[in-house]
Amino acid sequence: MRSTKDNGMGILLIGLGALVLLGVFGPFLGWLFSLLIPLAMIALGYYGIRRGNTFFGWIILGIGVLSLIGKLSWLFGPILGIVLIVYGVSRFKGGNGRRYY
């Protein structure tokens, strides 16, 4: 019987190959796998902070958050527009009577 070290490396390579194929050939799943790396970085950064390595934990967490914001910018843009419109309409109504002219 072979050692488990060789089996583990084989399983890792098969898993990475499957991720690459699904990312390239799966247009419906490609966006999901592109979010995997930023989420993994956020999880690793949080784990590093909890384990006491705060400097590198915060760096990895920050890079992961910025990358995730970049990947989800198609969602944050319209949300920001809606928030600005709602805030502008509420400023026109002048809810509590404090107006400075």
Side-chain angles (χ1 to χ4, degrees):
M1 195 159 194
R2 292 185 176 162
S3 78
T4 58
K5 185 177 179 182
D6 293 336
N7 291 341
M9 183 59 105
I11 291 171
L12 179 70
L13 290 174
I14 290 170
L16 285 174
L19 286 176
V20 167
L21 286 177
L22 285 174
V24 172
F25 296 117
F28 300 112
L29 293 176
W31 65 273
L32 181 66
F33 285 109
S34 72
L35 295 177
L36 218 68
I37 298 296
L39 290 174
M41 288 179 72
I42 291 171
L44 282 172
Y46 178 73
Y47 180 71
I49 292 169
R50 296 282 294 166
R51 296 284 293 173
N53 196 354
T54 57
F55 179 71
F56 291 113
W58 280 111
I59 288 176
I60 292 175
L61 184 99
I63 292 171
V65 166
L66 289 175
S67 178
L68 190 64
I69 288 172
K71 297 275 184 188
L72 294 177
S73 64
W74 61 271
L75 180 67
F76 291 134
I79 289 174
L80 178 65
I82 291 169
V83 167
L84 289 174
I85 289 171
V86 168
Y87 182 68
V89 168
S90 72
R91 295 289 293 176
F92 275 129
K93 290 185 178 182
N96 56 4
R98 292 184 318 184
R99 294 190 183 211
Y100 302 105
Y101 297 146

